[in-house]
Amino acid sequence: MKTFPFPGHAMLLPEIVRADNCSLFDAAGNRYVDLESGVWCTPAGHGNPAVKAAISEQLDAVAHVGFCYGSSVVEEAAGAVQGLLGHEGGRCAFLCSGSEAVEYGVRAMRAVLDGAGIMTMADSYFGAYGDAASRRDGWFVFDWFGCEGCGREACTADCPRWAFIPLDQIGGFLFEPGSSSGFVRFPPARLIESINRALKEKGGLFMVNEVTTGMGRTGRWFGHQHYDVRPDIAALGKGVGNGYPVSVSSLNADVVSRLGGKPIPYGQSHLNDPLGAAVVRAVIGEFEEKRLLERAADLSDILLSGLQAIAETSPRTVTVRGRGLMAAMELGMDPADAASLHESLVHSGFICALRPGSDVLRIDPALTIDEGDLRGFIDTLGSLLA
């Protein structure tokens, strides 16, 4: 091997040579059903024809422009993203990775907040580098797990956990609506909506990280749409490019106005590339034309009910969490046994994710997966666990 492997993940299939929708094929011709969508990257399936056509067409025109040049393709893609987010009149930046999109949005928040802190949840993951990844200075990290099962209708000052939040020092909130560093957990709506209200009352900013929860993954366009909130800033990645490395940071009109023409202190050579923007435009178009959100809702019923049925008949304490086609199954076993089960699934022709050092399987199939393949996975998983 001449490359570094991804930390914590065993190399189970050393040579994948072809992909088609949710099928992967190795050099020996064996087929595997991809229930991980790459790394949650291909919600419209591997080798999607509309995305391939957009790449080919844009390559024939222009793939990359410099700092001083524009493109109508970029403007059209920005308009499509803003329309989905309710950010009409705002601005977008097209970048290369989800980490970049989050970092860009955080730097925009910093530029507006003028020294106020940013709050987030303890189990959030915001990328491989930068301010949000390190969370060293000017951050308040809240452990929300004690808020589960709370019977309150709203968060108020007489709650000690709510009173612990230094709202007088916080100007922004960065919310990851469900991925929870890959463990798939969903903070209570009353908590998130209370934080949003408290911030908005004093002119604070609400930002969402939709890198893993966006593009239909939770059954809606974005994970934050399961809450009564309207984000000022949104970071999109992974699914927005369906496997092509493009991401978007979107700011609404209010944030743009408050920036007052001040530039975001972040730039790189592939900022606002026409090729990446063309892919984003094609992915949004494919979702709309094929009605993939509606399909995700139907398939979600099959996936989550199937996993829950396995959990209810298991002699172990198995926990299922999920929304749409984003699901996690906590197996109630030793991590070494979970790794063995994960390997058995691969040998049986089914690929999903195992959180390193844990007993949590994560299932994130494309919204285009064949219903028969989804049921086949559930049957195989049930047999292996039995």
Side-chain angles (χ1 to χ4, degrees):
M1 180 179 288
K2 299 179 178 64
T3 56
F4 290 109
F6 197 93
H9 294 266
M11 180 60 70
L12 299 178
L13 295 171
E15 192 173 5
I16 293 296
V17 297
R18 187 167 65 87
D20 179 19
N21 192 19
C22 296
S23 298
L24 301 179
F25 300 88
D26 65 16
N30 298 308
R31 174 181 179 259
Y32 304 86
V33 178
D34 182 10
L35 292 124
E36 195 180 0
S37 303
V39 187
W40 325 328
C41 289
T42 58
H46 293 283
N48 181 279
V51 175
K52 288 198 297 184
I55 291 173
S56 177
E57 181 180 336
Q58 194 59 46
L59 278 174
D60 284 342
V62 57
H64 170 79
V65 294
F67 300 132
C68 303
Y69 314 97
S71 165
S72 61
V73 175
V74 176
E75 292 297 306
E76 290 168 10
V81 169
Q82 289 163 351
L84 296 179
L85 290 164
H87 282 185
E88 292 87 349
R91 297 283 183 91
C92 286
F94 291 85
L95 302 151
C96 297
S97 72
S99 298
E100 281 192 281
V102 172
E103 180 67 12
Y104 194 96
V106 168
R107 293 193 188 189
M109 272 208 291
R110 292 286 192 208
V112 170
L113 294 179
D114 193 27
I118 300 174
M119 176 180 172
T120 192
M121 301 304 194
D123 59 336
S124 299
Y125 176 78
F126 296 130
Y129 72 96
D131 192 352
S134 66
R135 285 176 271 188
R136 289 197 186 97
D137 300 315
W139 287 87
F140 174 72
V141 180
F142 183 63
D143 183 355
W144 64 272
F145 295 128
C147 299
E148 293 178 288
C150 170
R152 295 170 178 266
E153 293 185 4
C155 301
T156 54
D158 60 333
C159 170
R161 297 188 64 81
W162 179 259
F164 179 67
I165 301 172
L167 288 169
D168 59 325
Q169 303 171 32
I170 293 170
F173 180 51
L174 176 49
F175 178 41
E176 184 186 53
S179 184
S180 188
S181 296
F183 287 98
V184 186
R185 301 186 182 103
F186 306 98
R190 62 185 171 277
L191 173 62
I192 301 305
E193 291 160 10
S194 295
I195 293 170
N196 179 60
R197 281 193 299 271
L199 284 175
K200 291 304 175 72
E201 285 172 1
K202 62 175 189 173
L205 298 179
F206 190 97
M207 175 179 170
V208 291
N209 169 24
E210 295 282 2
V211 171
T212 60
T213 48
M215 307 314 292
R217 177 57 58 204
T218 65
R220 300 184 183 179
W221 277 109
F222 305 109
H224 74 265
Q225 291 173 335
H226 296 274
Y227 300 83
D228 186 17
V229 297
R230 295 282 300 270
D232 302 291
I233 302 172
L236 315 182
K238 293 189 185 296
V240 78
N242 202 59
Y244 181 86
V246 61
S247 62
V248 190
S249 195
S250 179
L251 285 58
N252 70 9
D254 178 61
V255 176
V256 173
S257 175
R258 291 169 66 177
L259 283 168
K262 188 189 314 180
I264 309 298
Y266 187 92
Q268 48 99 311
S269 301
H270 293 281
L271 180 70
N272 296 335
D273 268 352
L275 181 55
V279 170
V280 170
R281 188 177 60 177
V283 169
I284 294 173
E286 185 74 348
F287 266 70
E288 293 173 337
E289 181 180 341
K290 300 293 176 59
R291 302 179 65 85
L292 292 185
L293 294 181
E294 290 87 342
R295 192 168 195 275
D298 294 337
L299 294 174
S300 175
D301 291 340
I302 296 170
L303 173 63
L304 296 181
S305 63
L307 294 178
Q308 191 59 46
I310 293 172
E312 290 170 357
T313 58
S314 173
R316 304 178 183 86
T317 302
V318 177
T319 303
V320 175
R321 298 182 293 272
R323 273 182 184 156
L325 287 177
M326 181 176 74
M329 185 177 233
E330 203 164 331
L331 300 169
M333 62 174 63
D334 183 88
D337 293 330
S340 178
L341 172 71
H342 183 232
E343 189 169 349
S344 296
L345 276 169
V346 173
H347 292 322
S348 300
F350 297 96
I351 297 171
C352 60
L354 176 69
R355 292 295 301 158
S358 80
D359 67 338
V360 176
L361 288 178
R362 177 159 171 164
I363 302 100
D364 297 89
L367 281 59
T368 55
I369 191 169
D370 182 78
E371 182 180 323
D373 284 339
L374 198 58
R375 294 189 185 278
F377 164 72
I378 292 167
D379 290 343
T380 300
L381 177 60
S383 297
L384 289 172
L385 280 172

